[in-house]
Amino acid sequence: MAATVPPKKRREWPLAVVFTWRFAAVTLIPILVLSVVFIFYFAPRIKQEVEERQASFVTSVVSQTENYFASATRELGTLSRLLGGGAAMDDHLGDLLDAYASGSDFYEAIYLADARGRVVVIGLPQAVRSLRANHLGLDISGRDFFKQSRGSKHAVWSNSFLSLVSGRLTVAVAVPVGELTLVGEIATAPLPALVRKLTEHTRVQLMLLDRGDHLVAHSSEELSNQQLNFAALPIVLASRTKEERGSMAFEFQGQEMVGVARLVPGPGWLAVVAEPKHTA
């Protein structure tokens, strides 16, 4: 007679293990549900809020920077129309240019260059006016903004450069006036202080880059004083190749950042607003 195989006993889990798994299930299911809700509902809303906040901030920065340059170019435009109409084209022309150069904090110098690119008349702020003779006859024929202005009927912007007059960083606007070229060298010195003021009491980093992506101003005073080029920074590359885009993540000085960049009309500068990714 064949032996009877006893039925296998069903494995019984200790009561403590059963309660542990049930407790874990009760605890984890709501967490998983909340995680899914966060990923698919709240995270996109937070990302959108960050993008809108940064876009609003960078728009304000671009507007204020543009207004700074626009105030200077408006005055230069008025002066070019006066000169184009033949006003003050005499021995008192230097006095007129001096008045414009001293009337605001915008200009390092204002001068007229002849067709060969030689400075024939120059207006200077009061503090450096005694050096006028040193600057007459300066040759700017090799400057791109001068060469471009000769074939243009509109104002031509330069990239930032060290002024031959002041020795400081400046950006020039050249306006053709008949056979002459009117040039206003606009000071960039006030911009770092403006940038730091705009970011005061925030964790936002703000930088202004010139047309060649060299740093002109940064919310960190330490960085503002360094000659840095950020052409290879991903957010800069993206902004130079695409006019408008939302916030993007990138690495800056070993830190994960998220930010947005916008072009400044006129000089073609770039304003970059960014903040640490974990805080954003």
Side-chain angles (χ1 to χ4, degrees):
M1 184 174 179
T4 303
V5 178
K8 289 184 178 180
K9 286 186 177 181
R10 189 175 60 180
R11 183 177 181 182
E12 294 183 0
W13 295 95
L15 193 59
V17 174
V18 173
F19 277 117
T20 299
W21 278 105
R22 287 182 178 178
F23 179 77
V26 170
T27 306
L28 290 175
I29 288 173
I31 292 175
L32 289 172
V33 171
L34 287 174
S35 298
V36 171
V37 171
F38 178 82
I39 291 170
F40 290 101
Y41 180 75
F42 287 108
R45 290 171 67 91
I46 292 172
K47 183 175 183 293
Q48 182 181 1
E49 182 182 331
V50 169
E51 288 188 352
E52 290 175 352
R53 173 165 48 82
Q54 291 187 341
S56 176
F57 191 87
V58 78
T59 298
S60 174
V61 170
V62 167
S63 177
Q64 294 193 53
T65 308
E66 184 181 8
N67 286 339
Y68 174 78
F69 288 119
S71 299
T73 53
R74 276 196 299 270
E75 291 186 6
L76 207 65
T78 301
L79 181 55
S80 69
R81 287 190 291 273
L82 284 173
L83 299 178
M89 296 294 281
D90 53 27
D91 294 339
H92 299 290
L93 180 55
D95 296 333
L96 178 63
L97 298 187
D98 281 344
Y100 269 84
S102 299
S104 70
D105 297 327
F106 301 129
Y107 301 112
E108 298 282 7
I110 302 176
Y111 46 86
L112 278 166
D114 62 19
R116 298 179 303 156
R118 306 285 179 175
V119 175
V120 292
V121 186
I122 188 168
L124 296 168
Q126 182 67 47
V128 293
R129 200 165 292 165
S130 60
L131 303 175
R132 188 194 312 275
N134 296 345
H135 306 306
L136 292 173
L138 282 176
D139 184 2
I140 64 166
S141 61
R143 297 283 187 179
D144 287 343
F145 64 85
F146 173 77
K147 290 186 284 189
Q148 292 170 14
S149 70
R150 298 303 298 165
S152 174
K153 295 182 180 180
H154 307 287
V156 174
W157 287 86
S158 77
N159 196 16
S160 61
F161 65 98
L162 290 178
S163 169
L164 294 174
V165 176
S166 68
R168 297 188 297 183
L169 196 66
T170 187
V171 60
V173 182
V175 182
V177 183
E179 292 299 314
L180 301 175
T181 301
L182 178 66
V183 179
E185 291 190 358
I186 302 173
T188 65
L191 294 176
L194 172 64
V195 164
R196 288 193 292 274
K197 182 178 180 181
L198 290 173
T199 55
E200 197 173 14
H201 307 307
T202 73
R203 294 185 179 182
V204 172
Q205 292 189 30
L206 169 60
M207 65 179 81
L208 290 177
L209 308 179
D210 68 10
R211 196 186 302 164
D213 298 323
H214 291 90
L215 184 66
V216 177
H218 195 283
S219 48
S220 164
E221 189 171 359
E222 180 183 354
L223 286 178
S224 271
N225 296 326
Q226 297 185 37
Q227 296 180 346
L228 301 172
N229 186 284
F230 292 119
L233 202 63
I235 192 170
V236 173
L237 282 171
S239 300
R240 289 297 188 189
T241 55
K242 189 174 181 180
E243 186 174 344
E244 190 85 8
R245 64 176 298 132
S247 298
M248 66 174 291
F250 64 99
E251 186 174 319
F252 180 69
Q253 293 191 319
Q255 187 175 23
E256 288 294 322
M257 308 288 287
V258 61
V260 64
R262 292 287 185 273
L263 284 174
V264 178
W269 286 15
L270 200 65
V272 181
V273 169
E275 55 192 316
K277 190 174 181 179
H278 69 276
T279 61

